[in-house]
Amino acid sequence: MAARQDAIVSAYGATQRRATVQASIQVERLWRELKTADLSGSWVAGIGPAVVRAVAAGQLLAASTGQTYVDAMVAADGLSSNYQPDASRVSARAFSGVAADGRPLDSLLYLPVIRTKTLIKGGLTLQEAMLGGLASLQRMVASEVADAGSSAAGVAMVGNRTVTGYIRTVRAGACARCVILAGRWYRWNADFQRHKRCACYGVPATKSRPGRHTDPMGFFHSLSQAEQDRRFGVGGAQAIRDGADIYKVVNASRGMVTLDAYGRKVAATLEGVTKRGDFYQNIRREAEQKLGVRFARTGADLEQGLPRFHLKTPRLMPSELYRLAEDRDELIRLLRRFGYLQ
């Protein structure tokens, strides 16, 4: 990439790292304030909600830079961004306060407390167990903040029709699973796949700059033997050095927690679906148009006899919408309907 594009990508990556670091520092401070005599009690009493707010703030910071990053890359290519008038803004808040798999953040972030108790019952000292719980929590924080950032950037790439796809780019410290995917081009509607603690991100591609692919073997040979062994395992690295296919040596896998809805298994969430949320209001508006009625907005409306609206539609995650949509127009419509584009 040219120097200008390199600078944009570097600035975006720096913001993503800052979002993760800030959330991690705040969460570590809060974890150390837990009362070891009553882990669950002190978590519920205030530490837990504070941890959730810290992570949500990190997610919001990471997500808020996605559209700016994508549009800047398009402009650097000498092109203009092309959004639909009613789907021209990525809602960063849609990616804050909810886990990547759709569950509420508070239920996910409580798991390290459970792990700490399990470690204590398993024979570890209190200090060892607390450190183990903190390590688990920090992994979750890094993953959830990074997921929010990549998801928001992905939605911006869909909404901006000038973007044709993205190039998967690895950062320093990339693992073996990511190395073999380095430089691969993905279409605009391909969900960005991340494993836990993945440090990779997508670089928007346009017709003017389709992307420069990275050779995984070239990356492998650029590492010292010690680094090759660390990232690929001693046996795997030696096999690659001996001529084995790097793609066959590395086995990348992923998973997703789903629920049953719409007659199939989908990745969805009801977290963050408030009466003030875009998704809630969109679905309420659709119901009003379909039924020919107006639902109550205020207590005064209820007193006048207007019916109360109950949201029962699961809010699908962007990754699920990528699979459901048949074309870009439909995908943009779905992203707008579910509150990711405005």
Side-chain angles (χ1 to χ4, degrees):
M1 290 182 289
R4 183 180 177 188
Q5 283 90 342
D6 282 335
I8 294 171
V9 174
S10 296
Y12 171 73
T15 302
Q16 298 301 299
R17 290 190 292 275
R18 184 169 70 254
T20 299
V21 170
Q22 289 178 354
S24 297
I25 291 175
Q26 180 72 353
V27 165
E28 180 175 355
R29 182 187 65 77
L30 291 166
W31 180 264
R32 297 188 185 282
E33 293 179 6
L34 278 173
K35 296 179 180 179
T36 56
D38 185 10
L39 292 174
S40 294
S42 59
W43 178 273
V44 173
I47 299 299
V51 168
V52 170
R53 289 194 296 271
V55 177
Q59 290 177 312
L60 183 60
L61 174 58
S64 65
T65 62
Q67 185 168 18
T68 302
Y69 161 58
V70 171
D71 293 351
M73 290 295 286
V74 170
D77 287 342
L79 302 174
S80 298
S81 293
N82 179 16
Y83 291 95
Q84 290 183 359
D86 58 351
S88 60
R89 182 167 63 89
V90 176
S91 175
R93 292 192 177 279
F95 305 92
S96 175
V98 60
D101 61 11
R103 82 178 81 177
L105 266 184
D106 55 359
S107 65
L108 172 69
L109 298 176
Y110 180 68
L111 294 178
V113 175
I114 298 176
R115 173 170 172 73
T116 301
K117 293 181 178 181
T118 302
L119 292 175
I120 293 173
K121 291 181 179 179
L124 292 186
T125 66
L126 178 59
Q127 181 180 14
E128 292 170 336
M130 290 294 289
L131 288 174
L134 175 60
S136 178
L137 180 60
Q138 293 286 43
R139 287 193 294 269
M140 291 179 180
V141 172
S143 182
E144 295 304 323
V145 172
D147 271 323
S150 64
S151 294
V155 169
M157 292 183 207
V158 173
N160 192 334
R161 293 172 177 272
T162 307
V163 176
T164 58
Y166 65 87
I167 302 296
R168 188 180 182 96
T169 303
V170 299
R171 293 207 299 247
C175 70
R177 286 175 290 176
C178 292
V179 168
I180 63 171
L181 299 176
R184 181 175 294 185
W185 181 89
Y186 293 86
R187 199 163 177 259
W188 48 266
N189 62 340
D191 187 29
F192 193 90
Q193 299 300 325
R194 297 182 63 258
H195 59 79
K196 293 180 179 179
R197 305 186 74 177
C198 177
C200 300
Y201 49 88
V203 174
T206 65
K207 292 181 179 179
S208 296
R209 182 184 41 77
R212 182 181 62 197
H213 291 250
T214 302
D215 176 18
M217 282 302 297
F219 184 88
F220 177 83
H221 289 304
S222 71
L223 303 173
S224 66
Q225 182 170 330
E227 271 298 294
Q228 292 172 350
D229 291 344
R230 185 182 70 82
R231 300 191 193 194
F232 292 83
V234 175
Q238 187 58 52
I240 296 171
R241 287 192 291 267
D242 291 340
D245 188 330
I246 191 172
Y247 294 98
K248 294 181 179 178
V249 171
V250 178
N251 179 27
S253 61
R254 63 184 178 89
M256 173 68 75
V257 175
T258 60
L259 56 81
D260 292 316
Y262 305 102
R264 56 175 289 178
K265 287 191 176 297
V266 297
T269 179
L270 285 177
E271 173 68 11
V273 185
T274 65
K275 293 181 180 179
R276 296 182 180 180
D278 293 321
F279 174 64
Y280 180 97
Q281 295 180 21
N282 287 342
I283 300 302
R284 183 180 60 191
R285 189 181 306 112
E286 288 181 6
E288 289 177 332
Q289 293 174 352
K290 181 179 179 180
L291 300 174
V293 300
R294 183 177 184 276
F295 292 102
R297 264 69 167 174
T298 65
D301 289 342
L302 290 173
E303 292 178 359
Q304 293 176 9
L306 293 181
R308 188 189 302 272
F309 178 69
H310 297 284
L311 179 65
K312 298 180 180 179
T313 303
R315 183 186 183 200
L316 299 185
M317 302 295 285
S319 58
E320 188 63 41
L321 300 180
Y322 295 153
R323 289 193 289 270
L324 291 175
E326 295 184 357
D327 55 42
R328 196 165 194 162
D329 287 338
E330 183 181 9
L331 180 53
I332 290 175
R333 180 182 64 79
L334 289 173
L335 288 169
R336 180 174 179 271
R337 180 175 188 256
F338 285 92
Y340 298 106
L341 276 173
Q342 299 175 340

